[in-house]
Amino acid sequence: MELVPWGNEHFDDLVRLASDPRVVEYVGDGKPWSPDHAAERHQKALAHWAEHGFGWCAALERGAFVGLGSMVDHGDGVIEIGWWVDPEHWGRGIATAIATELRDAALARVRRVVAGYVDGNGASERVMVKIGLRYDRSFRAAGRLQHVYALERA
């Protein structure tokens, strides 16, 4: 599995994943994204790359799209990481592989990396713990309980 910079060639894969209720169940309000919303997020991801030199990545396995990873600079010395995996590839360790690469790339840039999940998403919580992140805080957003895990570079 390799992570490559996000580009226009990945847009159709984003639309496909973002419209799948299994993928977005624990994202935002839990509802599938419209193609217009996916296009807006895609453009923001491209702009983030242009501004910061990092951001969303496509996860490829032998050249085939299997998911995406995200590194977002919050401007306060913290990078938030996240990941989506195509349901056809769930249970194969791809989320952990993506998260590990993102964690390392983020900590090479800043002292603190964070990741969050919506309450009930035990799979994401397990990935965060596997890669060394620890519980930091919880809050409500979009009417849902969110949990944040963090790791600071020594």
Side-chain angles (χ1 to χ4, degrees), residues 86-124:
D86 185 319
E88 297 296 317
H89 300 281
W90 284 359
R92 298 184 41 232
I94 291 172
T96 301
I98 293 170
T100 299
E101 284 196 39
L102 294 174
R103 176 204 63 202
D104 294 348
L107 288 175
R109 294 176 176 274
V110 295
R111 283 194 75 79
R112 183 173 169 86
V113 61
V114 298
Y117 71 94
V118 171
D119 197 52
N121 187 352
S124 284

PDB file of all heavy atoms in Angstrom, residues 86-124:
ATOM      1  N   ASP A  86     -12.103   1.777   1.474  1.00  0.00           N
ATOM      2  CA  ASP A  86     -13.160   1.183   0.657  1.00  0.00           C
ATOM      3  C   ASP A  86     -13.660  -0.074   1.368  1.00  0.00           C
ATOM      4  O   ASP A  86     -12.856  -0.920   1.762  1.00  0.00           O
ATOM      5  CB  ASP A  86     -12.580   0.831  -0.717  1.00  0.00           C
ATOM      6  CG  ASP A  86     -13.613   0.321  -1.689  1.00  0.00           C
ATOM      7  OD1 ASP A  86     -14.496  -0.476  -1.281  1.00  0.00           O
ATOM      8  OD2 ASP A  86     -13.534   0.682  -2.871  1.00  0.00           O
ATOM      9  N   PRO A  87     -14.974  -0.215   1.575  1.00  0.00           N
ATOM     10  CA  PRO A  87     -15.499  -1.387   2.281  1.00  0.00           C
ATOM     11  C   PRO A  87     -15.063  -2.728   1.681  1.00  0.00           C
ATOM     12  O   PRO A  87     -14.986  -3.727   2.403  1.00  0.00           O
ATOM     13  CB  PRO A  87     -17.021  -1.213   2.189  1.00  0.00           C
ATOM     14  CG  PRO A  87     -17.214   0.257   2.075  1.00  0.00           C
ATOM     15  CD  PRO A  87     -16.037   0.740   1.257  1.00  0.00           C
ATOM     16  N   GLU A  88     -14.751  -2.756   0.404  1.00  0.00           N
ATOM     17  CA  GLU A  88     -14.264  -3.996  -0.218  1.00  0.00           C
ATOM     18  C   GLU A  88     -12.933  -4.441   0.385  1.00  0.00           C
ATOM     19  O   GLU A  88     -12.525  -5.585   0.205  1.00  0.00           O
ATOM     20  CB  GLU A  88     -14.106  -3.809  -1.731  1.00  0.00           C
ATOM     21  CG  GLU A  88     -15.393  -3.526  -2.456  1.00  0.00           C
ATOM     22  CD  GLU A  88     -16.379  -4.680  -2.371  1.00  0.00           C
ATOM     23  OE1 GLU A  88     -15.960  -5.853  -2.522  1.00  0.00           O
ATOM     24  OE2 GLU A  88     -17.572  -4.407  -2.139  1.00  0.00           O
ATOM     25  N   HIS A  89     -12.266  -3.529   1.085  1.00  0.00           N
ATOM     26  CA  HIS A  89     -10.940  -3.815   1.644  1.00  0.00           C
ATOM     27  C   HIS A  89     -10.905  -3.742   3.171  1.00  0.00           C
ATOM     28  O   HIS A  89      -9.825  -3.753   3.756  1.00  0.00           O
ATOM     29  CB  HIS A  89      -9.915  -2.865   1.031  1.00  0.00           C
ATOM     30  CG  HIS A  89      -9.819  -3.005  -0.446  1.00  0.00           C
ATOM     31  ND1 HIS A  89      -9.113  -4.020  -1.049  1.00  0.00           N
ATOM     32  CD2 HIS A  89     -10.394  -2.287  -1.446  1.00  0.00           C
ATOM     33  CE1 HIS A  89      -9.231  -3.901  -2.358  1.00  0.00           C
ATOM     34  NE2 HIS A  89     -10.004  -2.868  -2.630  1.00  0.00           N
ATOM     35  N   TRP A  90     -12.068  -3.662   3.810  1.00  0.00           N
ATOM     36  CA  TRP A  90     -12.111  -3.630   5.265  1.00  0.00           C
ATOM     37  C   TRP A  90     -11.554  -4.916   5.855  1.00  0.00           C
ATOM     38  O   TRP A  90     -11.663  -5.991   5.258  1.00  0.00           O
ATOM     39  CB  TRP A  90     -13.547  -3.448   5.748  1.00  0.00           C
ATOM     40  CG  TRP A  90     -14.081  -2.044   5.602  1.00  0.00           C
ATOM     41  CD1 TRP A  90     -13.423  -0.947   5.120  1.00  0.00           C
ATOM     42  CD2 TRP A  90     -15.393  -1.599   5.930  1.00  0.00           C
ATOM     43  NE1 TRP A  90     -14.244   0.159   5.134  1.00  0.00           N
ATOM     44  CE2 TRP A  90     -15.464  -0.224   5.621  1.00  0.00           C
ATOM     45  CE3 TRP A  90     -16.518  -2.225   6.442  1.00  0.00           C
ATOM     46  CZ2 TRP A  90     -16.611   0.539   5.830  1.00  0.00           C
ATOM     47  CZ3 TRP A  90     -17.666  -1.467   6.645  1.00  0.00           C
ATOM     48  CH2 TRP A  90     -17.710  -0.109   6.346  1.00  0.00           C
ATOM     49  N   GLY A  91     -10.957  -4.796   7.027  1.00  0.00           N
ATOM     50  CA  GLY A  91     -10.471  -5.965   7.754  1.00  0.00           C
ATOM     51  C   GLY A  91      -9.119  -6.481   7.298  1.00  0.00           C
ATOM     52  O   GLY A  91      -8.695  -7.553   7.720  1.00  0.00           O
ATOM     53  N   ARG A  92      -8.413  -5.715   6.484  1.00  0.00           N
ATOM     54  CA  ARG A  92      -7.123  -6.148   5.954  1.00  0.00           C
ATOM     55  C   ARG A  92      -5.951  -5.355   6.510  1.00  0.00           C
ATOM     56  O   ARG A  92      -4.830  -5.496   6.056  1.00  0.00           O
ATOM     57  CB  ARG A  92      -7.135  -6.057   4.428  1.00  0.00           C
ATOM     58  CG  ARG A  92      -8.181  -6.969   3.799  1.00  0.00           C
ATOM     59  CD  ARG A  92      -8.147  -6.970   2.263  1.00  0.00           C
ATOM     60  NE  ARG A  92      -6.795  -6.982   1.770  1.00  0.00           N
ATOM     61  CZ  ARG A  92      -6.322  -6.102   0.862  1.00  0.00           C
ATOM     62  NH1 ARG A  92      -7.090  -5.172   0.355  1.00  0.00           N
ATOM     63  NH2 ARG A  92      -5.082  -6.168   0.456  1.00  0.00           N
ATOM     64  N   GLY A  93      -6.203  -4.465   7.471  1.00  0.00           N
ATOM     65  CA  GLY A  93      -5.131  -3.674   8.058  1.00  0.00           C
ATOM     66  C   GLY A  93      -4.779  -2.413   7.289  1.00  0.00           C
ATOM     67  O   GLY A  93      -3.790  -1.738   7.616  1.00  0.00           O
ATOM     68  N   ILE A  94      -5.562  -2.085   6.277  1.00  0.00           N
ATOM     69  CA  ILE A  94      -5.258  -0.905   5.464  1.00  0.00           C
ATOM     70  C   ILE A  94      -5.414   0.379   6.273  1.00  0.00           C
ATOM     71  O   ILE A  94      -4.579   1.289   6.174  1.00  0.00           O
ATOM     72  CB  ILE A  94      -6.108  -0.891   4.180  1.00  0.00           C
ATOM     73  CG1 ILE A  94      -5.648  -2.038   3.262  1.00  0.00           C
ATOM     74  CG2 ILE A  94      -6.023   0.452   3.470  1.00  0.00           C
ATOM     75  CD1 ILE A  94      -6.511  -2.260   2.052  1.00  0.00           C
ATOM     76  N   ALA A  95      -6.450   0.467   7.109  1.00  0.00           N
ATOM     77  CA  ALA A  95      -6.629   1.671   7.922  1.00  0.00           C
ATOM     78  C   ALA A  95      -5.424   1.887   8.831  1.00  0.00           C
ATOM     79  O   ALA A  95      -4.919   3.010   8.954  1.00  0.00           O
ATOM     80  CB  ALA A  95      -7.913   1.578   8.741  1.00  0.00           C
ATOM     81  N   THR A  96      -4.935   0.821   9.444  1.00  0.00           N
ATOM     82  CA  THR A  96      -3.764   0.944  10.322  1.00  0.00           C
ATOM     83  C   THR A  96      -2.535   1.368   9.526  1.00  0.00           C
ATOM     84  O   THR A  96      -1.747   2.208   9.984  1.00  0.00           O
ATOM     85  CB  THR A  96      -3.507  -0.377  11.061  1.00  0.00           C
ATOM     86  OG1 THR A  96      -4.677  -0.698  11.826  1.00  0.00           O
ATOM     87  CG2 THR A  96      -2.309  -0.273  11.986  1.00  0.00           C
ATOM     88  N   ALA A  97      -2.369   0.825   8.333  1.00  0.00           N
ATOM     89  CA  ALA A  97      -1.227   1.204   7.493  1.00  0.00           C
ATOM     90  C   ALA A  97      -1.303   2.673   7.093  1.00  0.00           C
ATOM     91  O   ALA A  97      -0.303   3.403   7.170  1.00  0.00           O
ATOM     92  CB  ALA A  97      -1.162   0.315   6.259  1.00  0.00           C
ATOM     93  N   ILE A  98      -2.481   3.126   6.688  1.00  0.00           N
ATOM     94  CA  ILE A  98      -2.656   4.535   6.331  1.00  0.00           C
ATOM     95  C   ILE A  98      -2.373   5.416   7.546  1.00  0.00           C
ATOM     96  O   ILE A  98      -1.609   6.384   7.463  1.00  0.00           O
ATOM     97  CB  ILE A  98      -4.081   4.800   5.798  1.00  0.00           C
ATOM     98  CG1 ILE A  98      -4.311   4.104   4.457  1.00  0.00           C
ATOM     99  CG2 ILE A  98      -4.336   6.308   5.672  1.00  0.00           C
ATOM    100  CD1 ILE A  98      -5.768   4.132   3.991  1.00  0.00           C
ATOM    101  N   ALA A  99      -2.998   5.082   8.672  1.00  0.00           N
ATOM    102  CA  ALA A  99      -2.859   5.896   9.878  1.00  0.00           C
ATOM    103  C   ALA A  99      -1.408   5.969  10.352  1.00  0.00           C
ATOM    104  O   ALA A  99      -0.945   7.024  10.800  1.00  0.00           O
ATOM    105  CB  ALA A  99      -3.761   5.357  10.980  1.00  0.00           C
ATOM    106  N   THR A 100      -0.684   4.868  10.248  1.00  0.00           N
ATOM    107  CA  THR A 100       0.722   4.845  10.667  1.00  0.00           C
ATOM    108  C   THR A 100       1.554   5.796   9.804  1.00  0.00           C
ATOM    109  O   THR A 100       2.355   6.589  10.325  1.00  0.00           O
ATOM    110  CB  THR A 100       1.280   3.415  10.592  1.00  0.00           C
ATOM    111  OG1 THR A 100       0.526   2.588  11.474  1.00  0.00           O
ATOM    112  CG2 THR A 100       2.753   3.370  10.972  1.00  0.00           C
ATOM    113  N   GLU A 101       1.359   5.728   8.493  1.00  0.00           N
ATOM    114  CA  GLU A 101       2.106   6.633   7.604  1.00  0.00           C
ATOM    115  C   GLU A 101       1.748   8.089   7.867  1.00  0.00           C
ATOM    116  O   GLU A 101       2.630   8.958   7.889  1.00  0.00           O
ATOM    117  CB  GLU A 101       1.854   6.276   6.140  1.00  0.00           C
ATOM    118  CG  GLU A 101       2.603   5.042   5.699  1.00  0.00           C
ATOM    119  CD  GLU A 101       2.660   4.904   4.190  1.00  0.00           C
ATOM    120  OE1 GLU A 101       2.826   5.932   3.488  1.00  0.00           O
ATOM    121  OE2 GLU A 101       2.545   3.765   3.715  1.00  0.00           O
ATOM    122  N   LEU A 102       0.469   8.356   8.072  1.00  0.00           N
ATOM    123  CA  LEU A 102       0.043   9.729   8.341  1.00  0.00           C
ATOM    124  C   LEU A 102       0.608  10.236   9.663  1.00  0.00           C
ATOM    125  O   LEU A 102       1.071  11.379   9.752  1.00  0.00           O
ATOM    126  CB  LEU A 102      -1.482   9.811   8.368  1.00  0.00           C
ATOM    127  CG  LEU A 102      -2.213   9.540   7.061  1.00  0.00           C
ATOM    128  CD1 LEU A 102      -3.716   9.507   7.303  1.00  0.00           C
ATOM    129  CD2 LEU A 102      -1.844  10.554   5.983  1.00  0.00           C
ATOM    130  N   ARG A 103       0.575   9.391  10.692  1.00  0.00           N
ATOM    131  CA  ARG A 103       1.122   9.773  12.003  1.00  0.00           C
ATOM    132  C   ARG A 103       2.586  10.175  11.859  1.00  0.00           C
ATOM    133  O   ARG A 103       3.005  11.224  12.344  1.00  0.00           O
ATOM    134  CB  ARG A 103       0.996   8.604  12.981  1.00  0.00           C
ATOM    135  CG  ARG A 103       1.617   8.863  14.346  1.00  0.00           C
ATOM    136  CD  ARG A 103       2.006   7.589  15.057  1.00  0.00           C
ATOM    137  NE  ARG A 103       3.023   6.874  14.302  1.00  0.00           N
ATOM    138  CZ  ARG A 103       3.251   5.563  14.424  1.00  0.00           C
ATOM    139  NH1 ARG A 103       2.530   4.825  15.249  1.00  0.00           N
ATOM    140  NH2 ARG A 103       4.199   4.988  13.708  1.00  0.00           N
ATOM    141  N   ASP A 104       3.362   9.340  11.182  1.00  0.00           N
ATOM    142  CA  ASP A 104       4.791   9.612  11.037  1.00  0.00           C
ATOM    143  C   ASP A 104       5.044  10.880  10.228  1.00  0.00           C
ATOM    144  O   ASP A 104       5.909  11.687  10.583  1.00  0.00           O
ATOM    145  CB  ASP A 104       5.493   8.415  10.399  1.00  0.00           C
ATOM    146  CG  ASP A 104       5.481   7.182  11.291  1.00  0.00           C
ATOM    147  OD1 ASP A 104       5.130   7.302  12.496  1.00  0.00           O
ATOM    148  OD2 ASP A 104       5.796   6.086  10.779  1.00  0.00           O
ATOM    149  N   ALA A 105       4.278  11.070   9.155  1.00  0.00           N
ATOM    150  CA  ALA A 105       4.443  12.271   8.331  1.00  0.00           C
ATOM    151  C   ALA A 105       4.059  13.527   9.116  1.00  0.00           C
ATOM    152  O   ALA A 105       4.731  14.555   9.021  1.00  0.00           O
ATOM    153  CB  ALA A 105       3.609  12.156   7.056  1.00  0.00           C
ATOM    154  N   ALA A 106       2.996  13.436   9.913  1.00  0.00           N
ATOM    155  CA  ALA A 106       2.565  14.586  10.704  1.00  0.00           C
ATOM    156  C   ALA A 106       3.596  14.935  11.772  1.00  0.00           C
ATOM    157  O   ALA A 106       3.948  16.101  11.946  1.00  0.00           O
ATOM    158  CB  ALA A 106       1.206  14.307  11.339  1.00  0.00           C
ATOM    159  N   LEU A 107       4.102  13.918  12.472  1.00  0.00           N
ATOM    160  CA  LEU A 107       5.071  14.180  13.544  1.00  0.00           C
ATOM    161  C   LEU A 107       6.419  14.659  13.009  1.00  0.00           C
ATOM    162  O   LEU A 107       7.200  15.243  13.754  1.00  0.00           O
ATOM    163  CB  LEU A 107       5.237  12.944  14.425  1.00  0.00           C
ATOM    164  CG  LEU A 107       4.040  12.637  15.320  1.00  0.00           C
ATOM    165  CD1 LEU A 107       4.251  11.317  16.058  1.00  0.00           C
ATOM    166  CD2 LEU A 107       3.774  13.770  16.299  1.00  0.00           C
ATOM    167  N   ALA A 108       6.686  14.442  11.735  1.00  0.00           N
ATOM    168  CA  ALA A 108       7.891  15.001  11.127  1.00  0.00           C
ATOM    169  C   ALA A 108       7.742  16.508  10.910  1.00  0.00           C
ATOM    170  O   ALA A 108       8.741  17.209  10.738  1.00  0.00           O
ATOM    171  CB  ALA A 108       8.177  14.304   9.794  1.00  0.00           C
ATOM    172  N   ARG A 109       6.493  17.010  10.958  1.00  0.00           N
ATOM    173  CA  ARG A 109       6.223  18.427  10.712  1.00  0.00           C
ATOM    174  C   ARG A 109       5.891  19.220  11.972  1.00  0.00           C
ATOM    175  O   ARG A 109       6.194  20.403  12.058  1.00  0.00           O
ATOM    176  CB  ARG A 109       5.056  18.575   9.729  1.00  0.00           C
ATOM    177  CG  ARG A 109       5.361  18.059   8.349  1.00  0.00           C
ATOM    178  CD  ARG A 109       4.110  18.170   7.471  1.00  0.00           C
ATOM    179  NE  ARG A 109       4.381  17.779   6.113  1.00  0.00           N
ATOM    180  CZ  ARG A 109       4.855  18.569   5.159  1.00  0.00           C
ATOM    181  NH1 ARG A 109       5.117  19.819   5.432  1.00  0.00           N
ATOM    182  NH2 ARG A 109       5.080  18.108   3.951  1.00  0.00           N
ATOM    183  N   VAL A 110       5.163  18.579  12.890  1.00  0.00           N
ATOM    184  CA  VAL A 110       4.674  19.271  14.093  1.00  0.00           C
ATOM    185  C   VAL A 110       4.891  18.394  15.320  1.00  0.00           C
ATOM    186  O   VAL A 110       5.195  17.204  15.206  1.00  0.00           O
ATOM    187  CB  VAL A 110       3.174  19.635  13.968  1.00  0.00           C
ATOM    188  CG1 VAL A 110       2.940  20.644  12.846  1.00  0.00           C
ATOM    189  CG2 VAL A 110       2.312  18.400  13.776  1.00  0.00           C
ATOM    190  N   ARG A 111       4.692  18.974  16.494  1.00  0.00           N
ATOM    191  CA  ARG A 111       4.871  18.216  17.743  1.00  0.00           C
ATOM    192  C   ARG A 111       3.666  17.363  18.102  1.00  0.00           C
ATOM    193  O   ARG A 111       3.779  16.422  18.858  1.00  0.00           O
ATOM    194  CB  ARG A 111       5.129  19.166  18.916  1.00  0.00           C
ATOM    195  CG  ARG A 111       6.521  19.710  18.954  1.00  0.00           C
ATOM    196  CD  ARG A 111       6.825  20.366  20.288  1.00  0.00           C
ATOM    197  NE  ARG A 111       7.051  19.431  21.380  1.00  0.00           N
ATOM    198  CZ  ARG A 111       8.188  18.767  21.590  1.00  0.00           C
ATOM    199  NH1 ARG A 111       9.183  18.876  20.745  1.00  0.00           N
ATOM    200  NH2 ARG A 111       8.318  17.982  22.641  1.00  0.00           N
ATOM    201  N   ARG A 112       2.480  17.715  17.598  1.00  0.00           N
ATOM    202  CA  ARG A 112       1.255  17.047  18.054  1.00  0.00           C
ATOM    203  C   ARG A 112       0.398  16.606  16.867  1.00  0.00           C
ATOM    204  O   ARG A 112       0.127  17.401  15.965  1.00  0.00           O
ATOM    205  CB  ARG A 112       0.476  17.996  18.951  1.00  0.00           C
ATOM    206  CG  ARG A 112      -0.780  17.443  19.559  1.00  0.00           C
ATOM    207  CD  ARG A 112      -1.328  18.481  20.560  1.00  0.00           C
ATOM    208  NE  ARG A 112      -2.653  18.190  21.014  1.00  0.00           N
ATOM    209  CZ  ARG A 112      -2.937  17.387  22.042  1.00  0.00           C
ATOM    210  NH1 ARG A 112      -1.968  16.801  22.715  1.00  0.00           N
ATOM    211  NH2 ARG A 112      -4.189  17.191  22.406  1.00  0.00           N
ATOM    212  N   VAL A 113      -0.032  15.365  16.933  1.00  0.00           N
ATOM    213  CA  VAL A 113      -0.957  14.824  15.934  1.00  0.00           C
ATOM    214  C   VAL A 113      -2.215  14.387  16.667  1.00  0.00           C
ATOM    215  O   VAL A 113      -2.147  13.861  17.779  1.00  0.00           O
ATOM    216  CB  VAL A 113      -0.323  13.662  15.134  1.00  0.00           C
ATOM    217  CG1 VAL A 113       0.058  12.497  16.020  1.00  0.00           C
ATOM    218  CG2 VAL A 113      -1.253  13.190  14.025  1.00  0.00           C
ATOM    219  N   VAL A 114      -3.369  14.656  16.060  1.00  0.00           N
ATOM    220  CA  VAL A 114      -4.643  14.249  16.642  1.00  0.00           C
ATOM    221  C   VAL A 114      -5.462  13.505  15.598  1.00  0.00           C
ATOM    222  O   VAL A 114      -5.256  13.661  14.390  1.00  0.00           O
ATOM    223  CB  VAL A 114      -5.454  15.456  17.185  1.00  0.00           C
ATOM    224  CG1 VAL A 114      -4.700  16.164  18.301  1.00  0.00           C
ATOM    225  CG2 VAL A 114      -5.833  16.417  16.080  1.00  0.00           C
ATOM    226  N   ALA A 115      -6.380  12.692  16.096  1.00  0.00           N
ATOM    227  CA  ALA A 115      -7.362  12.012  15.250  1.00  0.00           C
ATOM    228  C   ALA A 115      -8.630  11.885  16.067  1.00  0.00           C
ATOM    229  O   ALA A 115      -8.581  11.815  17.298  1.00  0.00           O
ATOM    230  CB  ALA A 115      -6.852  10.635  14.825  1.00  0.00           C
ATOM    231  N   GLY A 116      -9.754  11.887  15.398  1.00  0.00           N
ATOM    232  CA  GLY A 116     -11.013  11.809  16.115  1.00  0.00           C
ATOM    233  C   GLY A 116     -11.953  10.802  15.500  1.00  0.00           C
ATOM    234  O   GLY A 116     -11.791  10.389  14.356  1.00  0.00           O
ATOM    235  N   TYR A 117     -12.930  10.416  16.309  1.00  0.00           N
ATOM    236  CA  TYR A 117     -13.962   9.509  15.807  1.00  0.00           C
ATOM    237  C   TYR A 117     -15.274   9.799  16.511  1.00  0.00           C
ATOM    238  O   TYR A 117     -15.313  10.327  17.618  1.00  0.00           O
ATOM    239  CB  TYR A 117     -13.556   8.049  15.976  1.00  0.00           C
ATOM    240  CG  TYR A 117     -13.554   7.547  17.410  1.00  0.00           C
ATOM    241  CD1 TYR A 117     -14.670   6.903  17.938  1.00  0.00           C
ATOM    242  CD2 TYR A 117     -12.448   7.723  18.228  1.00  0.00           C
ATOM    243  CE1 TYR A 117     -14.669   6.445  19.250  1.00  0.00           C
ATOM    244  CE2 TYR A 117     -12.444   7.265  19.529  1.00  0.00           C
ATOM    245  CZ  TYR A 117     -13.559   6.631  20.036  1.00  0.00           C
ATOM    246  OH  TYR A 117     -13.571   6.185  21.336  1.00  0.00           O
ATOM    247  N   VAL A 118     -16.359   9.463  15.826  1.00  0.00           N
ATOM    248  CA  VAL A 118     -17.690   9.604  16.386  1.00  0.00           C
ATOM    249  C   VAL A 118     -17.955   8.413  17.292  1.00  0.00           C
ATOM    250  O   VAL A 118     -17.607   7.272  16.964  1.00  0.00           O
ATOM    251  CB  VAL A 118     -18.742   9.679  15.254  1.00  0.00           C
ATOM    252  CG1 VAL A 118     -20.160   9.608  15.811  1.00  0.00           C
ATOM    253  CG2 VAL A 118     -18.551  10.952  14.444  1.00  0.00           C
ATOM    254  N   ASP A 119     -18.575   8.687  18.443  1.00  0.00           N
ATOM    255  CA  ASP A 119     -18.889   7.644  19.408  1.00  0.00           C
ATOM    256  C   ASP A 119     -19.560   6.453  18.704  1.00  0.00           C
ATOM    257  O   ASP A 119     -20.453   6.637  17.879  1.00  0.00           O
ATOM    258  CB  ASP A 119     -19.836   8.212  20.482  1.00  0.00           C
ATOM    259  CG  ASP A 119     -19.892   7.355  21.712  1.00  0.00           C
ATOM    260  OD1 ASP A 119     -18.821   7.031  22.258  1.00  0.00           O
ATOM    261  OD2 ASP A 119     -21.015   7.020  22.133  1.00  0.00           O
ATOM    262  N   GLY A 120     -19.086   5.264  19.012  1.00  0.00           N
ATOM    263  CA  GLY A 120     -19.614   4.051  18.405  1.00  0.00           C
ATOM    264  C   GLY A 120     -18.729   3.463  17.330  1.00  0.00           C
ATOM    265  O   GLY A 120     -18.890   2.310  16.945  1.00  0.00           O
ATOM    266  N   ASN A 121     -17.779   4.254  16.840  1.00  0.00           N
ATOM    267  CA  ASN A 121     -16.886   3.772  15.785  1.00  0.00           C
ATOM    268  C   ASN A 121     -15.649   3.119  16.425  1.00  0.00           C
ATOM    269  O   ASN A 121     -14.552   3.673  16.424  1.00  0.00           O
ATOM    270  CB  ASN A 121     -16.484   4.920  14.858  1.00  0.00           C
ATOM    271  CG  ASN A 121     -15.701   4.450  13.654  1.00  0.00           C
ATOM    272  OD1 ASN A 121     -15.323   3.285  13.552  1.00  0.00           O
ATOM    273  ND2 ASN A 121     -15.458   5.361  12.731  1.00  0.00           N
ATOM    274  N   GLY A 122     -15.868   1.931  16.960  1.00  0.00           N
ATOM    275  CA  GLY A 122     -14.795   1.209  17.639  1.00  0.00           C
ATOM    276  C   GLY A 122     -13.633   0.861  16.740  1.00  0.00           C
ATOM    277  O   GLY A 122     -12.492   0.782  17.195  1.00  0.00           O
ATOM    278  N   ALA A 123     -13.894   0.667  15.441  1.00  0.00           N
ATOM    279  CA  ALA A 123     -12.810   0.322  14.518  1.00  0.00           C
ATOM    280  C   ALA A 123     -11.788   1.456  14.447  1.00  0.00           C
ATOM    281  O   ALA A 123     -10.577   1.214  14.502  1.00  0.00           O
ATOM    282  CB  ALA A 123     -13.365   0.001  13.133  1.00  0.00           C
ATOM    283  N   SER A 124     -12.263   2.685  14.338  1.00  0.00           N
ATOM    284  CA  SER A 124     -11.329   3.817  14.286  1.00  0.00           C
ATOM    285  C   SER A 124     -10.607   4.000  15.610  1.00  0.00           C
ATOM    286  O   SER A 124      -9.417   4.301  15.639  1.00  0.00           O
ATOM    287  CB  SER A 124     -12.057   5.102  13.891  1.00  0.00           C
ATOM    288  OG  SER A 124     -12.340   5.096  12.517  1.00  0.00           O
TER     289      SER A 124
END
